[in-house]
Every structure is written in C-alpha cells, then in structure tokens.
Amino acid sequence: MSDKVVQALYNDDDVLMNAVKKVKAEKHHIEEIYCPFPVHGLDKAMGLEGTRIAITSFMYGCVGLTVAIVMMNYIMIEDWPQDIGGKPSFSYIENMPAFVPIMFELTVFFAAHLMVITFYMRSKLWPFKKAENPDVRTTDDHFLMEVPTHGNEAEVVALLQSTGAVEVNIVDSDH
C-alpha cells in the first residue's frame, strides 16, 4: 500500500461510472468509492466479487425453521398437549398444517435479524463508530474515488482530471 491516495470528487453518477471504467482500463487499482446512494453497476465496473450474504441468510432461515419445529413439537405435543377445536395433539404430523404459519414466521425472523447482525459485523458498523468517509459531501451530492499512488502522483492526477472530476486532491493514506 502506498503512503498517498488521490481523491477525485464527481458530481454525477454517470461521469463516475465512465471514470471508473477509464481508470480500470489504465490498470490502476481503485481503493474505495464513496457514494451518497447506490450506483447500479458500480460493483461490476470496479471488478468486485459477489457477496455471500445470501448463503448465510439461507443458513439462518434453516436455523429458524429448525427452532420453530422443535419449539412447536415440545410445546404443543410433548409438554402440554391440548384438544383445540376437537383436534387432539397426538403427533406433530397430524397438526403440522396448523404450524406452517409459525414455521414461516420464525424462518423469516431468524433469517432477517441474523442477516442484519452479520452484515453489521462484516462491515464493522458498531454503535457510536466514527464515520470513515473522507469528505462530508459524499453523504449529500458528490461521489469520491480513491486511487492509491505508487510514486506516480502526477500521472494519476492527470488521469482523474481527464475523467471529469470536479476536484482532485492528494492526501496521506491512513489505512
């Protein structure tokens, strides 16, 4: 990693997308892009790998389904069987149609809540964490691209200026 990064600010997402494609075509590494809203296709243009959070969501849903089945079997069949509406609770299979909404709800509950917790842990978003965006304008209406330098500051600055950046700065890297 270099000691300096070049930060280029853009005020339009289409200009940013074209700039990313041009920077990648010149074989430069883009360290990070800060955006005020999601830009469709930016991850593909940057060459980022796909996320695996859907796999964890599926696993969390399976855990929720298992908890629902075990919980309902224990509560309604083993621990306190009840005769509800003339339907005795002799086995789980006989009463499973009545349990389907509970199984669905707990599957969704576990998948959603544990997926959010996993996302926050993976993204290192903790309560009271200091914001990491280098320019406050990236939360409003500007886009910022960081490109590390390896002794070629002038070349990177010229490239980013040619892509339509409204402002280009060289700053010390604090990574």
Side-chain angles (χ1 to χ4, degrees):
M1 172 100 24
S2 66
D3 296 328
K4 296 183 183 280
V5 293
V6 178
Q7 295 178 343
L9 276 164
Y10 299 89
N11 57 7
D12 186 73
D13 57 336
D14 292 328
V15 175
L16 173 73
M17 283 295 290
N18 291 332
V20 167
K21 291 173 185 173
K22 190 170 183 180
V23 169
K24 293 304 273 184
E26 294 289 326
K27 306 286 190 235
H28 289 282
H29 173 70
I30 298 173
E31 187 67 33
E32 187 65 71
I33 296 181
Y34 299 89
C35 301
F37 55 83
V39 177
H40 180 70
L42 185 60
D43 53 344
K44 197 175 276 189
M46 287 179 64
L48 298 177
E49 294 179 13
T51 179
R52 295 182 305 266
I53 199 160
I55 297 168
T56 60
S57 177
F58 176 76
M59 291 189 301
Y60 296 149
C62 290
V63 169
L65 180 64
T66 303
V67 167
I69 291 170
V70 170
M71 178 189 74
M72 289 182 300
N73 185 55
Y74 177 75
I75 293 171
M76 297 300 291
I77 307 301
E78 294 176 18
D79 185 44
W80 195 276
Q82 299 177 31
D83 186 357
I84 300 173
K87 298 177 183 173
S89 298
F90 294 129
S91 73
Y92 182 82
I93 297 298
E94 290 176 16
N95 293 309
M96 195 167 81
F99 296 155
V100 168
I102 299 166
M103 290 187 296
F104 172 76
E105 290 298 330
L106 280 178
T107 300
V108 172
F109 179 85
F110 271 68
H113 286 80
L114 292 175
M115 188 171 58
V116 167
I117 292 169
T118 300
F119 172 76
Y120 283 148
M121 289 173 53
R122 179 70 176 100
S123 301
K124 297 182 178 119
L125 293 174
W126 312 112
F128 310 109
K129 182 180 184 211
K130 185 177 178 287
E132 293 180 0
N133 58 329
D135 193 316
V136 294
R137 293 177 285 182
T138 60
T139 62
D140 187 23
D141 61 350
H142 281 72
F143 306 86
L144 187 137
M145 181 188 334
E146 285 186 343
V147 179
T149 61
H150 302 285
N152 58 350
E153 289 93 354
E155 175 191 340
V156 174
V157 167
L159 173 64
L160 293 174
Q161 285 174 339
S162 72
T163 61
V166 294
E167 185 179 322
V168 178
N169 301 315
I170 300 174
V171 297
D172 288 329
S173 176
D174 52 338
H175 296 283

